[in-house]
């Protein structure tokens, strides 16, 4: 049985960044759930399935196997034994993943695959419903958050570094709206698990957050 760490929290809280660093520090496998949705989207594209046809999507899920491997320290996504990592970030894959990720059959398929990974190894996963739905028996559950203002500023600075033209107030408004959607959605809404440890990173550095989470994990 693997050792499992679940990190949940709202958009912009730094979950993926922190989870990857904790994984590196502790020697865990970081399970990128977003990449798994994209891996499944490649399967749908290759089969020519209409993303609007949920019945066809459900059937297509039956012969798809998405797995994560680490090669030379880099995460690789495999679809039915073939490395598809170089296709994950293409526009058509992103669009297909966005359209199909809310379909119950897709979520169930990835739930099965994610739990299988968690049984087989020491993993850390981040998302909206890891501790409440995907890994309810995780050894460590963290709810990582930060103020809307802090998250908006982080996103603003990230976009400015990329040369994007953006508005801080608009970003903050978008984050508020996304929080509302995530917390009120019908399937697996965002919420803090009862036994999760709350970490507010508003006034913390990344190393401080990583250190705090590592402190809650099994000490080797």
């Amino acid at each position: 049985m693997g050792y499992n760490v679940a990190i949940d929290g709202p958009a912009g809280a730094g979950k993926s960044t922190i989870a990857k660093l904790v994984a590196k520090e502790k020697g865990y496998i970081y399970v990128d759930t977003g990449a798994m949705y994209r891996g499944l989207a490649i399967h749908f594209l290759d089969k020519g399935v209409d993303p609007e046809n949920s019945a066809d999507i459900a059937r297509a899920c039956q012969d798809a196997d998405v797995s994560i491997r680490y090669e030379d320290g880099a995460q690789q996504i495999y679809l039915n034994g073939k490395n598809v990592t170089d296709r994950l970030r293409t526009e058509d894959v992103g669009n297909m993943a966005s359209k199909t990720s809310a379909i119950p059959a897709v979520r169930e398929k990835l739930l099965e695959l994610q739990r299988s990974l968690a049984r087989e190894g020491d993993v850390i996963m981040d998302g909206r419903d890891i501790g409440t739905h995907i890994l309810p028996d995780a050894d460590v559950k963290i709810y990582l958050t930060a103020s809307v203002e802090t998250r908006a500023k982080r996103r603003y600075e990230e976009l400015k570094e990329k040369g994007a033209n953006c508005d801080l107030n608009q970003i903050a408004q978008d984050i508020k709206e996304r929080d509302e959607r995530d917390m009120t959605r019908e399937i697996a809404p965002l919420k803090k698990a009862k036994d999760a440890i709350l970490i507010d990173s508003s006034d913390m550095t990344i190393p401080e957050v990583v250190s705090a989470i590592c402190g809650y994990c099994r000490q080797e």
Side-chain angles (χ1 to χ4, degrees):
M1 188 70 181
Y3 185 82
N4 302 161
V5 178
I7 300 181
D8 289 309
K15 300 183 297 297
S16 296
T17 298
I18 298 299
K20 288 173 185 174
L21 291 170
V22 172
K24 186 175 182 180
E25 180 75 20
K26 302 294 290 183
Y28 303 153
I29 294 172
Y30 169 63
V31 178
D32 187 339
T33 55
M36 293 184 79
Y37 276 104
R38 284 174 175 262
L40 205 49
I42 290 172
H43 182 65
F44 302 145
L45 284 168
D46 289 350
K47 291 177 77 75
V49 183
D50 179 0
E52 306 298 330
N53 190 323
S54 55
D56 284 351
I57 290 289
R59 279 190 290 273
C61 285
Q62 295 173 8
D63 61 347
D65 179 67
V66 179
S67 61
I68 292 177
R69 302 181 198 173
Y70 276 82
E71 298 170 3
D72 298 325
Q75 178 181 271
Q76 306 293 319
I77 298 294
Y78 279 77
L79 170 64
N80 293 336
K82 181 181 179 182
N83 191 329
V84 294
T85 308
D86 62 348
R87 296 179 59 190
L88 293 180
R89 299 300 165 188
T90 61
E91 194 71 20
D92 58 342
V93 170
N95 289 335
M96 176 63 82
S98 177
K99 291 174 183 176
T100 58
S101 60
I103 296 174
V106 172
R107 299 188 70 84
E108 284 302 311
K109 177 67 177 182
L110 288 182
L111 175 63
E112 170 195 327
L113 292 168
Q114 289 156 4
R115 285 180 175 168
S116 176
L117 286 168
R119 285 192 298 270
E120 294 167 4
D122 298 342
V123 306
I124 182 166
M125 287 189 208
D126 69 278
R128 305 287 189 277
D129 61 346
I130 310 298
T132 55
H133 183 62
I134 294 174
L135 299 179
D137 298 319
D139 299 276
V140 176
K141 296 180 186 177
I142 303 292
Y143 190 85
L144 180 64
T145 190
S147 67
V148 170
E149 293 73 24
T150 297
R151 288 184 282 143
K153 188 178 178 184
R154 288 174 183 168
R155 182 62 176 156
Y156 174 80
E157 290 174 351
E158 181 184 315
L159 289 170
K160 291 295 281 186
E161 275 185 21
K162 294 178 180 177
N165 185 20
C166 51
D167 177 77
L168 181 60
N169 291 329
Q170 184 58 54
I171 291 171
Q173 185 59 39
D174 290 345
I175 286 174
K176 285 180 185 177
E177 291 174 1
R178 184 165 178 179
D179 284 354
E180 178 66 18
R181 285 198 304 272
D182 286 344
M183 291 175 180
T184 58
R185 70 186 187 190
E186 192 172 334
I187 300 174
L190 167 66
K191 62 181 178 180
K192 177 182 173 293
K194 290 180 181 178
D195 53 348
I197 299 156
L198 175 65
I199 295 180
D200 187 326
S201 69
S202 298
D203 299 312
M204 297 173 73
T205 64
I206 289 174
E208 285 173 341
V209 178
V210 171
S211 178
I213 293 176
C214 286
Y216 290 113
C217 296
R218 178 179 64 192
Q219 304 305 308
E220 303 302 334

